């Protein structure tokens, strides 16, 4: 069954009026009599007529809508970001159109093309883990589309960005494990090409160096699909547990990798933290009730969404080309729980 929205032409045909007369009546034009206006409005209501937002946007020069590109909305962090985005957008009279990449570059390109075809006024995007380049976004940026990056960003496009203090979050997490008596600390993370991986890896390495701890490269395991494929995490854990000098702690760097790691260790009957300690990045509200309660680095997802939207709307509303851009870095917070108890 196909849904065909009622158009102005349909109303005009039913009432035997011109399209121009119906259009003016719907806009409450002084040129149309009250009797005709009433007739048109009653017909529109009866047929559940709704104005075509794309057609309106072409007339007005804006759509009052912004596009959002995230990996998955099931990720607690991105859900919180979207809530922050909507809290600002709706207050300012903007609608949001949410798309998911599921960490696919091809889907990211497809989503961006779909959003721009709907005449969005601006774009908020967190890059997928599989994105090798940002040419598809460069072209749009050069054509004047306001774009703001958040969380996973690129240095190749000069625009506003909102990120967490990933370096400090990773440094704090690693330092906490060291202070708890752990020395052989492994690192399971996302692909090396994305911004958050580089920043968190640097924090992890620098905390170890500051403590005088040398860690072999094979303690660092990359999940090329950001943990979307559970076997990636499973292979990393099995590799680490089968080492002669197996780690006594693991630091993970994303919601999906963190929660999957704790689940797999429990299935393998690996006692946390007695056999191996765990600290991860996660914004899940269930961290306190996991088995055991999970030590985690928390990001300000809601605030990231708010800031990114405020910055995007400032670009959209600017009457002059914007030449100066800002990167806002929001602090992270480490919550120490039982999963990283003292050795």
């Amino acid at each position: 069954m196909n849904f065909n929205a009622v158009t102005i032409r349909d109303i005009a045909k039913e009432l035997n009026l011109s399209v121009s007369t119906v259009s003016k009546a719907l806009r409450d034009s002084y040129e149309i009599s009250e009797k005709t206006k009433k007739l048109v409005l009653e017909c529109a209501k009866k047929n559940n007529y709704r104005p075509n937002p794309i057609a309106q946007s072409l007339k007005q020069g804006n759509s009052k809508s912004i596009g959002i590109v995230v990996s998955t909305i099931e990720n607690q962090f991105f859900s919180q970001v979207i809530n922050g985005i909507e809290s600002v957008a709706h207050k300012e009279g903007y609608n949001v159109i949410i798309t998911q990449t599921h960490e696919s570059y091809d889907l990211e390109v497809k989503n961006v093309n779909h959003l721009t075809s709907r005449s969005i006024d601006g774009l908020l995007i967190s890059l997928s883990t599989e994105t090798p380049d940002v040419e598809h976004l460069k072209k749009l940026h050069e054509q004047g589309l306001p774009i703001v990056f958040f969380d996973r960003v690129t240095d190749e496009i000069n625009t506003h960005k909102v990120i967490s203090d990933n370096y400090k979050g990773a440094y704090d997490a690693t330092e906490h494990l060291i202070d708890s008596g752990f020395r052989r600390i492994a690192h399971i993370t996302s692909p090396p090409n994305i911004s958050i991986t580089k920043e968190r890896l640097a924090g992890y390495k620098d905390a170890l160096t500051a403590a005088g701890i040398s860690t072999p490269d094979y303690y660092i395991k990359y999940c090329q699909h950001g943990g979307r494929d559970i076997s990636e995490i499973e292979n990393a854990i099995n590799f680490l547990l089968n080492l002669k000098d197996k780690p006594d702690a693991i630091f993970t760097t994303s919601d999906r990798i963190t929660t999957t790691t704790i689940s797999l260790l429990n299935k393998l009957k690996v006692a946390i933290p007695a056999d191996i300690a765990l600290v991860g990045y996660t914004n899940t509200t269930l961290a306190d009730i996991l088995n055991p309660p999970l030590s985690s680095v928390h990001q300000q997802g809601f605030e990231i969404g708010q800031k990114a939207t405020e910055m995007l709307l400032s670009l959209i509303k600017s009457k002059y080309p914007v030449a100066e851009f800002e990167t806002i870095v929001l602090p992270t917070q480490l919550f120490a729980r039982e999963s990283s108890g003292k050795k």
Side-chain angles (χ1 to χ4, degrees):
M1 180 182 292
N2 293 323
F3 172 74
N4 294 313
V6 173
T7 67
I8 289 177
R9 290 185 180 279
D10 295 326
I11 295 173
K13 184 176 181 181
E14 182 172 331
L15 298 178
N16 198 26
L17 296 171
S18 70
V19 171
S20 175
T21 297
V22 173
S23 178
K24 289 177 181 178
L26 291 169
R27 296 200 311 271
D28 196 25
S29 171
Y30 68 92
E31 300 176 61
I32 307 301
S33 70
E34 292 302 318
K35 180 181 178 181
T36 301
K37 287 179 187 176
K38 183 180 178 182
L39 194 65
V40 170
L41 290 173
E42 286 176 351
C43 183
K45 184 177 181 181
K46 180 186 72 173
N47 289 289
N48 197 31
Y49 167 76
R50 293 289 184 274
N52 184 326
I54 297 177
Q56 285 190 325
S57 70
L58 291 173
K59 289 180 181 179
Q60 298 168 1
N62 64 75
S63 64
K64 297 293 283 187
S65 64
I66 56 178
I68 303 173
V69 181
V70 297
S71 62
T72 59
I73 58 174
E74 68 181 4
N75 183 314
Q76 285 273 357
F77 169 70
F78 287 118
S79 293
Q80 292 162 15
V81 171
I82 289 169
N83 285 339
I85 291 170
E86 290 185 328
S87 73
V88 174
H90 292 166
K91 187 178 178 181
E92 294 293 323
Y94 281 77
N95 295 310
V96 299
I97 306 172
I98 303 165
T99 64
Q100 304 177 85
T101 65
H102 299 285
E103 307 297 10
S104 164
Y105 168 69
D106 290 339
L107 197 50
E108 177 179 295
V109 173
K110 183 178 179 180
N111 287 343
V112 169
N113 289 338
H114 171 71
L115 289 169
T116 52
S117 73
R118 294 181 65 85
S119 302
I120 56 171
D121 294 334
L123 180 68
L124 293 168
I125 182 167
S126 179
L127 297 172
S128 84
T129 54
E130 295 179 3
T131 298
D133 63 67
V134 290
E135 288 302 317
H136 57 302
L137 297 168
K138 277 184 181 177
K139 292 176 183 176
L140 293 171
H141 185 251
E142 289 166 1
Q143 290 168 2
L145 178 70
I147 301 175
V148 172
F149 290 92
F150 64 92
D151 188 45
R152 306 170 187 175
V153 303
T154 177
D155 293 329
E156 295 183 41
I157 297 177
N158 192 21
T159 187
H160 293 313
K161 294 152 195 168
V162 186
I163 61 174
S164 298
D165 194 342
N166 292 299
Y167 175 88
K168 182 69 162 49
Y171 192 104
D172 289 346
T174 308
E175 185 179 54
H176 165 68
L177 286 169
I178 294 168
D179 291 343
S180 297
F182 301 97
R183 292 294 180 272
R184 301 188 308 278
I185 303 169
H187 186 47
I188 304 179
T189 188
S190 298
N193 59 292
I194 61 175
S195 59
I196 59 172
T197 300
K198 297 172 185 175
E199 293 159 3
R200 294 171 188 177
L201 180 61
Y204 159 79
K205 285 184 172 181
D206 285 356
L208 291 170
T209 300
I213 298 173
S214 177
T215 299
D217 289 341
Y218 53 77
Y219 268 24
I220 301 170
K221 307 302 292 180
Y222 297 102
C223 295
Q224 292 301 322
H225 299 91
R228 181 166 57 93
D229 182 351
I230 292 177
S231 65
E232 290 181 321
I233 307 170
E234 198 167 21
N235 291 338
I237 290 172
N238 287 333
F239 175 88
L240 293 170
L241 293 181
N242 286 317
L243 290 172
K244 185 177 180 180
D245 56 340
K246 69 180 181 181
D248 55 11
I250 299 175
F251 168 45
T252 55
T253 61
S254 76
D255 258 302
R256 185 184 283 113
I257 293 174
T258 299
T259 53
T260 302
T261 295
I262 196 170
S263 174
L264 291 171
L265 289 175
N266 282 329
K267 286 180 181 178
L268 292 169
K269 307 298 185 203
V270 175
I272 306 171
D275 295 333
I276 197 161
L278 179 64
V279 177
Y281 261 78
T282 182
N283 271 38
T284 178
T285 55
L286 302 177
D288 273 319
I289 61 172
L290 291 173
N291 181 28
L294 178 66
S295 294
S296 61
V297 178
H298 179 84
Q299 303 174 83
Q300 297 184 48
F302 187 85
E303 292 78 6
I304 286 174
Q306 286 184 313
K307 290 289 185 184
T309 309
E310 288 168 1
M311 297 175 98
L312 182 66
L313 292 180
S314 73
L315 292 177
I316 292 170
K317 295 177 181 180
S318 177
K319 295 179 180 179
Y320 305 98
V322 179
E324 294 185 7
F325 299 98
E326 183 181 2
T327 295
I328 292 180
V329 182
L330 296 181
T332 55
Q333 185 175 3
L334 174 66
F335 290 94
R337 301 185 180 94
E338 291 178 26
S339 71
S340 59
K342 288 189 177 295
K343 192 171 181 181

